[in-house]
Every structure is written in C-alpha cells, then in structure tokens.
Amino acid sequence: EAGVAQSPRYKIIEKRQSVAFWCNPISGHATLYWYQQILGQGPKLLIQFQNNGVVDDSQLPKDRFSAERLKGVDSTLKIQPAKLEDSAVYLCASSPGTGGYYEQYFGPGTRLTVT
Amino acid sequence: QKEVEQNSGPLSVPEGAIASLNCTYSDRGSQSFFWYRQYSGKSPELIMFIYSNGDKEDGRFTAQLNKASQYVSLLIRDSQPSDSATYLCAVNIAGGYNKLIFGAGTRLAVHP
C-alpha cells in the first residue's frame, strides 16, 4: 500500500513570495491533515479535512495560509505572502476516519526555508 | 489550552537497557494516545497506540496508560542504537475530529 505522498520535498523562497505544497493521502483515507513542525517542536495542526470539507482550521493563519482538497483526495496548502517565521517542515497526514481511534500516517514532509 | 508535556532529553541509555519515555497530558477527556518515532530529518512514524488503562505490548515496545494520573509512557526493551531518535507523544483531544496534540518529543540516544 502506497503511503502519503508530498511534493516538493524542499523549497527555498524569499519573504513575501508565495509557495504551494501538494499532498496525496493513502488511498481510501477520508481524513487529511496539514501540520507545521518547527525545529525542536512537535507537529502543530493547521487544518483538517473530512473528505473535501474543513472540520478544523482553528490554528490556520488565514490571512496568509489557505488550503483546499478538491474531490476529496489530493490537497494543496498555500502560503501567500511568506514570512521568515513560516520556515518549518510542512507535514501532510491521513487517516481512515475522524473518530478518536484512528491512527494518522504522515508523508515525508516539505522543508520550507524563507529567507 | 490543551497541553502534552514531555521531557526534551536527551535520554541516554546503553545498548541492551530499557529506555523509559514519559508523557503527561492536560485534557481529562482524552481517549486515545499515540507514540511516534521521528528520526532526524524524517517524518513521524507511528509505533504504538493505546486506548485503555494498563499496558500494551508490541515486540520490544510497551505502552502504559494511567488516565487517572493523565500519564502515558513508552518502554523500549533491549534498546538498540537504531532506536536513537526523537519520540513524540500525541493525545487525541476530546470532542475534536480525531485532533491530535503533540508533545515536543524526547530525544533518545542509545550508545553501544
């Protein structure tokens, strides 16, 4: 079974530029998550989708971050404009459902450096 | 603010010893608990989950849960240098849509 796919793996941009990350979850997984992991910290949830609907975006900086999940499969996370503090690894994860007993599986992540 | 606390380490143990990693959480309603291993430069990898009070064993790993004390731990028996990584504790938030709160992780170093 293929895992969660993400691209690109690395991205370097200047502040105020825009960037987009792509994620393809494990086949059949209805729930998709985007996390931000800053060096030395645990992953922090940015947004969660159930199929193609948002169920939690309480920690998403909506003035600069946006995300969509069209057709309930692939997802894209965008940052515009980027700030220095956005330098982090952006992790996509998926799980079969939203009940409290489903494991989440992570993709390899995208390491973003904002200069 | 729901919190998950872990000692950042490093926890240094000799090869073959038992490594004990601890985690406390603030949400009394949490029902599910996960341990992830994260090698440097890699993404988190699920190694164990536990839902009920008591112990759950999987190979060299044992997860222990005490909901009354809001405490979950991970024991690694016969530690190997390949176990050297950061171990993340994640707790499901009650009432959320399988929302996990992660601790900052404990760095484990197993030396030969």
Side-chain angles (χ1 to χ4, degrees), chain A:
Chain A
E1 179 181 81
V4 177
Q6 289 188 248
S7 68
R9 295 294 309 279
Y10 305 92
K11 191 74 176 179
I12 300 174
I13 62 172
E14 296 181 350
K15 60 183 179 185
R16 292 187 288 274
Q17 287 186 324
S18 63
V19 64
F21 312 126
W22 172 83
C23 173
N24 183 255
I26 293 172
S27 178
H29 279 196
T31 310
L32 185 148
Y33 313 79
W34 282 103
Y35 288 88
Q36 180 192 59
Q37 186 174 25
I38 293 172
L39 188 64
Q41 299 181 18
K44 182 184 81 170
L45 180 68
L46 293 175
I47 190 167
Q48 177 182 347
F49 293 92
Q50 168 72 6
N51 295 314
N52 60 348
V54 176
V55 296
D56 190 326
D57 63 357
S58 57
Q59 297 190 94
L60 186 72
K62 299 180 185 64
D63 58 333
R64 298 184 300 106
F65 286 64
S66 64
E68 60 182 5
R69 189 182 185 195
L70 299 177
K71 301 180 180 179
V73 182
D74 293 9
S75 177
T76 301
L77 175 70
K78 296 180 181 178
I79 307 175
Q80 182 179 13
K83 293 184 175 182
L84 295 176
E85 59 260 36
D86 298 331
S87 294
V89 176
Y90 290 84
L91 295 162
C92 179
S94 70
S95 69
T98 56
Y101 301 98
Y102 288 108
E103 307 94 86
Q104 295 183 22
Y105 298 92
F106 285 86
T110 297
R111 184 175 299 275
L112 174 67
T113 301
V114 182
T115 62

Side-chain angles (χ1 to χ4, degrees), chain A residues 45 48 56 58-59 104, chain B residues 91-93 96-101:
Chain A
L45 180 68
Q48 177 182 347
D56 190 326
S58 57
Q59 297 190 94
Q104 295 183 22
Chain B
V91 175
N92 178 274
I93 296 302
Y97 293 89
N98 199 26
K99 178 176 182 175
L100 294 183
I101 301 296

Side-chain angles (χ1 to χ4, degrees), chain B residues 46-89:
Chain B
L46 179 68
I47 53 174
M48 281 204 72
F49 55 87
I50 186 167
Y51 306 140
S52 304
N53 275 330
D55 295 359
K56 178 182 178 182
E57 188 174 315
D58 184 359
R60 296 187 296 112
F61 298 96
T62 298
Q64 299 176 318
L65 175 61
N66 184 324
K67 290 184 179 179
S69 300
Q70 296 176 239
Y71 177 94
V72 58
S73 65
L74 179 70
L75 302 179
I76 306 175
R77 292 182 299 280
D78 189 24
S79 296
Q80 302 297 309
S82 58
D83 294 325
S84 298
T86 295
Y87 289 79
L88 299 166
C89 172

